[in-house]
Each structure stands twice: as C-alpha cells, then as structure tokens.
Short mmCIF file of all heavy atoms in Angstrom, two decimals:
data_model
loop_
_atom_site.label_atom_id
_atom_site.label_comp_id
_atom_site.label_asym_id
_atom_site.label_seq_id
_atom_site.Cartn_x
_atom_site.Cartn_y
_atom_site.Cartn_z
N ARG K 1 51.24 127.25 43.60
CA ARG K 1 50.06 127.24 42.74
C ARG K 1 49.69 128.69 42.42
O ARG K 1 49.17 129.42 43.27
CB ARG K 1 48.90 126.52 43.43
CG ARG K 1 49.14 125.03 43.60
CD ARG K 1 48.01 124.36 44.38
NE ARG K 1 46.72 124.57 43.75
CZ ARG K 1 46.24 123.83 42.74
NH1 ARG K 1 46.97 122.83 42.26
NH2 ARG K 1 45.07 124.06 42.23
N PHE K 2 49.95 129.06 41.18
CA PHE K 2 49.72 130.44 40.78
C PHE K 2 48.28 130.70 40.32
O PHE K 2 47.88 131.86 40.20
CB PHE K 2 50.69 130.82 39.66
CG PHE K 2 52.11 130.95 40.11
CD1 PHE K 2 52.98 129.88 40.07
CD2 PHE K 2 52.58 132.16 40.61
CE1 PHE K 2 54.28 130.00 40.51
CE2 PHE K 2 53.88 132.30 41.04
CZ PHE K 2 54.74 131.21 40.99
N ALA K 3 47.53 129.64 40.07
CA ALA K 3 46.17 129.81 39.59
C ALA K 3 45.30 130.67 40.52
O ALA K 3 44.57 131.55 40.04
CB ALA K 3 45.52 128.45 39.36
N PRO K 4 45.35 130.47 41.84
CA PRO K 4 44.49 131.28 42.71
C PRO K 4 44.82 132.77 42.71
O PRO K 4 43.98 133.58 43.11
CB PRO K 4 44.73 130.66 44.10
CG PRO K 4 45.19 129.26 43.83
CD PRO K 4 46.02 129.39 42.58
N ILE K 5 46.04 133.13 42.29
CA ILE K 5 46.40 134.56 42.27
C ILE K 5 46.47 135.10 40.84
O ILE K 5 47.01 136.18 40.61
CB ILE K 5 47.73 134.82 43.00
CG1 ILE K 5 48.90 134.18 42.25
CG2 ILE K 5 47.68 134.31 44.43
CD1 ILE K 5 50.26 134.64 42.76
N ALA K 6 45.90 134.36 39.91
CA ALA K 6 45.97 134.77 38.50
C ALA K 6 45.22 136.07 38.23
O ALA K 6 45.49 136.73 37.22
CB ALA K 6 45.43 133.65 37.60
N HIS K 7 44.31 136.45 39.13
CA HIS K 7 43.60 137.72 38.93
C HIS K 7 44.54 138.92 39.05
O HIS K 7 44.19 140.02 38.62
CB HIS K 7 42.46 137.85 39.95
CG HIS K 7 42.91 137.82 41.38
ND1 HIS K 7 43.32 136.66 42.01
CD2 HIS K 7 43.03 138.81 42.30
CE1 HIS K 7 43.66 136.93 43.26
NE2 HIS K 7 43.51 138.23 43.46
N THR K 8 45.73 138.70 39.61
CA THR K 8 46.70 139.79 39.73
C THR K 8 47.62 139.90 38.52
O THR K 8 48.41 140.83 38.42
CB THR K 8 47.58 139.61 40.99
OG1 THR K 8 48.38 138.42 40.84
CG2 THR K 8 46.72 139.47 42.23
N PHE K 9 47.52 138.96 37.59
CA PHE K 9 48.42 138.95 36.44
C PHE K 9 48.33 140.24 35.61
O PHE K 9 49.37 140.74 35.15
CB PHE K 9 48.16 137.74 35.56
CG PHE K 9 48.76 136.46 36.09
CD1 PHE K 9 49.22 136.36 37.40
CD2 PHE K 9 48.89 135.34 35.28
CE1 PHE K 9 49.77 135.20 37.90
CE2 PHE K 9 49.45 134.16 35.76
CZ PHE K 9 49.89 134.09 37.07
N PRO K 10 47.14 140.79 35.35
CA PRO K 10 47.10 142.05 34.59
C PRO K 10 47.84 143.20 35.29
O PRO K 10 48.50 144.00 34.63
CB PRO K 10 45.60 142.34 34.47
CG PRO K 10 44.96 141.00 34.55
CD PRO K 10 45.79 140.24 35.55
N VAL K 11 47.72 143.26 36.60
CA VAL K 11 48.43 144.31 37.35
C VAL K 11 49.93 144.08 37.24
O VAL K 11 50.71 145.02 37.01
CB VAL K 11 48.00 144.31 38.83
CG1 VAL K 11 48.70 145.45 39.57
CG2 VAL K 11 46.48 144.45 38.94
N ALA K 12 50.34 142.82 37.40
CA ALA K 12 51.76 142.50 37.26
C ALA K 12 52.25 142.82 35.84
O ALA K 12 53.34 143.37 35.66
CB ALA K 12 52.00 141.03 37.56
N GLY K 13 51.44 142.49 34.85
CA GLY K 13 51.81 142.79 33.46
C GLY K 13 51.99 144.27 33.23
O GLY K 13 52.92 144.70 32.52
N PHE K 14 51.11 145.07 33.80
CA PHE K 14 51.21 146.53 33.68
C PHE K 14 52.53 147.02 34.27
O PHE K 14 53.25 147.82 33.66
CB PHE K 14 50.03 147.19 34.39
CG PHE K 14 49.89 148.66 34.13
CD1 PHE K 14 49.03 149.12 33.14
CD2 PHE K 14 50.60 149.60 34.86
CE1 PHE K 14 48.88 150.48 32.89
CE2 PHE K 14 50.47 150.95 34.63
CZ PHE K 14 49.60 151.40 33.63
N LEU K 15 52.87 146.53 35.46
CA LEU K 15 54.10 146.96 36.13
C LEU K 15 55.34 146.48 35.37
O LEU K 15 56.31 147.24 35.24
CB LEU K 15 54.12 146.40 37.56
CG LEU K 15 53.03 146.91 38.51
CD1 LEU K 15 53.09 146.18 39.83
CD2 LEU K 15 53.16 148.42 38.72
N ILE K 16 55.29 145.25 34.87
CA ILE K 16 56.42 144.69 34.14
C ILE K 16 56.72 145.49 32.87
O ILE K 16 57.87 145.61 32.44
CB ILE K 16 56.16 143.22 33.80
CG1 ILE K 16 56.19 142.37 35.08
CG2 ILE K 16 57.15 142.67 32.78
CD1 ILE K 16 55.65 140.97 34.91
N ALA K 17 55.67 146.05 32.25
CA ALA K 17 55.84 146.80 31.00
C ALA K 17 56.26 148.25 31.22
O ALA K 17 56.61 148.94 30.25
CB ALA K 17 54.54 146.77 30.20
N LEU K 18 56.26 148.71 32.46
CA LEU K 18 56.61 150.11 32.71
C LEU K 18 58.03 150.49 32.30
O LEU K 18 58.25 151.57 31.75
CB LEU K 18 56.37 150.45 34.19
CG LEU K 18 54.91 150.64 34.61
CD1 LEU K 18 54.82 150.90 36.11
CD2 LEU K 18 54.25 151.76 33.82
N PRO K 19 59.06 149.64 32.55
CA PRO K 19 60.40 150.02 32.09
C PRO K 19 60.47 150.22 30.58
O PRO K 19 61.10 151.17 30.10
CB PRO K 19 61.27 148.84 32.54
CG PRO K 19 60.55 148.26 33.71
CD PRO K 19 59.11 148.43 33.39
N GLY K 20 59.83 149.34 29.81
CA GLY K 20 59.80 149.50 28.36
C GLY K 20 59.07 150.77 27.95
O GLY K 20 59.50 151.47 27.03
N ALA K 21 57.97 151.07 28.64
CA ALA K 21 57.22 152.28 28.34
C ALA K 21 58.04 153.53 28.65
O ALA K 21 58.02 154.51 27.89
CB ALA K 21 55.91 152.30 29.14
N LEU K 22 58.77 153.49 29.76
CA LEU K 22 59.62 154.63 30.12
C LEU K 22 60.72 154.85 29.09
O LEU K 22 60.99 156.00 28.69
CB LEU K 22 60.23 154.38 31.50
CG LEU K 22 61.17 155.47 32.03
CD1 LEU K 22 60.44 156.80 32.16
CD2 LEU K 22 61.77 155.06 33.38
N LEU K 23 61.34 153.77 28.64
CA LEU K 23 62.36 153.89 27.60
C LEU K 23 61.77 154.41 26.30
O LEU K 23 62.38 155.25 25.63
CB LEU K 23 63.02 152.53 27.37
CG LEU K 23 64.10 152.48 26.28
CD1 LEU K 23 65.27 153.40 26.63
CD2 LEU K 23 64.59 151.05 26.05
N PHE K 24 60.60 153.92 25.93
CA PHE K 24 59.91 154.38 24.73
C PHE K 24 59.66 155.88 24.79
O PHE K 24 59.97 156.62 23.84
CB PHE K 24 58.59 153.61 24.61
CG PHE K 24 57.88 153.78 23.29
CD1 PHE K 24 58.57 153.81 22.09
CD2 PHE K 24 56.50 153.90 23.25
CE1 PHE K 24 57.91 153.95 20.88
CE2 PHE K 24 55.83 154.05 22.05
CZ PHE K 24 56.54 154.08 20.87
N TRP K 25 59.14 156.34 25.91
CA TRP K 25 58.87 157.78 26.09
C TRP K 25 60.16 158.59 26.03
O TRP K 25 60.22 159.64 25.36
CB TRP K 25 58.17 158.00 27.43
CG TRP K 25 58.06 159.44 27.81
CD1 TRP K 25 57.17 160.36 27.33
CD2 TRP K 25 58.89 160.14 28.75
NE1 TRP K 25 57.39 161.58 27.91
CE2 TRP K 25 58.44 161.48 28.78
CE3 TRP K 25 59.96 159.76 29.55
CZ2 TRP K 25 59.03 162.44 29.60
CZ3 TRP K 25 60.54 160.71 30.37
CH2 TRP K 25 60.08 162.03 30.39
N LEU K 26 61.19 158.12 26.72
CA LEU K 26 62.45 158.86 26.78
C LEU K 26 63.08 158.98 25.39
O LEU K 26 63.54 160.07 25.00
CB LEU K 26 63.41 158.16 27.74
CG LEU K 26 64.78 158.81 27.94
CD1 LEU K 26 64.62 160.21 28.51
CD2 LEU K 26 65.65 157.96 28.85
N LEU K 27 63.10 157.89 24.64
CA LEU K 27 63.69 157.92 23.30
C LEU K 27 62.90 158.85 22.37
O LEU K 27 63.50 159.58 21.57
CB LEU K 27 63.73 156.50 22.72
CG LEU K 27 64.72 155.54 23.38
CD1 LEU K 27 64.53 154.13 22.85
CD2 LEU K 27 66.15 156.01 23.14
N LEU K 28 61.59 158.83 22.48
CA LEU K 28 60.77 159.72 21.66
C LEU K 28 61.03 161.19 22.02
O LEU K 28 61.10 162.05 21.14
CB LEU K 28 59.28 159.39 21.82
CG LEU K 28 58.83 158.04 21.25
CD1 LEU K 28 57.37 157.79 21.61
CD2 LEU K 28 59.02 158.01 19.74
N MET K 29 61.18 161.45 23.32
CA MET K 29 61.46 162.82 23.76
C MET K 29 62.82 163.29 23.27
O MET K 29 63.02 164.49 23.03
CB MET K 29 61.39 162.89 25.29
CG MET K 29 60.00 162.72 25.86
SD MET K 29 58.86 164.04 25.35
CE MET K 29 59.59 165.44 26.19
N LEU K 30 63.75 162.36 23.10
CA LEU K 30 65.09 162.71 22.63
C LEU K 30 65.17 162.80 21.11
O LEU K 30 66.24 163.07 20.56
CB LEU K 30 66.11 161.70 23.15
CG LEU K 30 66.34 161.70 24.67
CD1 LEU K 30 67.26 160.55 25.07
CD2 LEU K 30 66.93 163.04 25.11
N GLY K 31 64.05 162.54 20.44
CA GLY K 31 64.01 162.68 18.99
C GLY K 31 64.32 161.43 18.21
O GLY K 31 64.56 161.49 17.00
N ALA K 32 64.32 160.28 18.86
CA ALA K 32 64.60 159.02 18.16
C ALA K 32 63.48 158.69 17.19
O ALA K 32 62.33 159.11 17.36
CB ALA K 32 64.76 157.88 19.16
N SER K 33 63.81 157.94 16.16
CA SER K 33 62.80 157.45 15.23
C SER K 33 61.77 156.63 15.98
O SER K 33 62.14 155.81 16.84
CB SER K 33 63.47 156.61 14.15
OG SER K 33 62.55 155.76 13.52
N PRO K 34 60.48 156.81 15.70
CA PRO K 34 59.45 156.01 16.39
C PRO K 34 59.67 154.51 16.26
O PRO K 34 59.46 153.77 17.22
CB PRO K 34 58.15 156.45 15.70
CG PRO K 34 58.41 157.85 15.25
CD PRO K 34 59.86 157.85 14.84
N LEU K 35 60.11 154.05 15.09
CA LEU K 35 60.32 152.62 14.91
C LEU K 35 61.50 152.13 15.74
O LEU K 35 61.44 151.07 16.37
CB LEU K 35 60.55 152.30 13.44
CG LEU K 35 60.72 150.81 13.09
CD1 LEU K 35 59.52 150.01 13.56
CD2 LEU K 35 60.95 150.63 11.60
N VAL K 36 62.58 152.90 15.76
CA VAL K 36 63.75 152.53 16.58
C VAL K 36 63.36 152.52 18.05
O VAL K 36 63.72 151.59 18.80
CB VAL K 36 64.91 153.50 16.33
CG1 VAL K 36 66.03 153.26 17.34
CG2 VAL K 36 65.44 153.34 14.91
N ALA K 37 62.62 153.53 18.48
CA ALA K 37 62.19 153.61 19.88
C ALA K 37 61.31 152.42 20.23
O ALA K 37 61.44 151.84 21.32
CB ALA K 37 61.45 154.92 20.12
N ALA K 38 60.42 152.04 19.33
CA ALA K 38 59.52 150.91 19.58
C ALA K 38 60.29 149.61 19.69
O ALA K 38 60.04 148.79 20.58
CB ALA K 38 58.48 150.84 18.48
#
C-alpha cells in the first residue's frame, strides 16, 4: 500500500529526475543545442 508513503513521492520524483538533469547540464556545457539537450 503506497498511499501511506505518498508524501515521499515529491522527494522520489526529484531524485528520479537527477540523471536527466545531469545529462541536460553536461550537454549544454559541451555546447549542444538547447533543444537537442532537452
């Protein structure tokens, strides 16, 4: 039953999105097009 721990979902969502954010930052630092990086 995940309902009782649903208050942790935003924290989990933040952590889950970190790999994508890291790739986004890395591609932008390497000079990739913003749209391609996104």
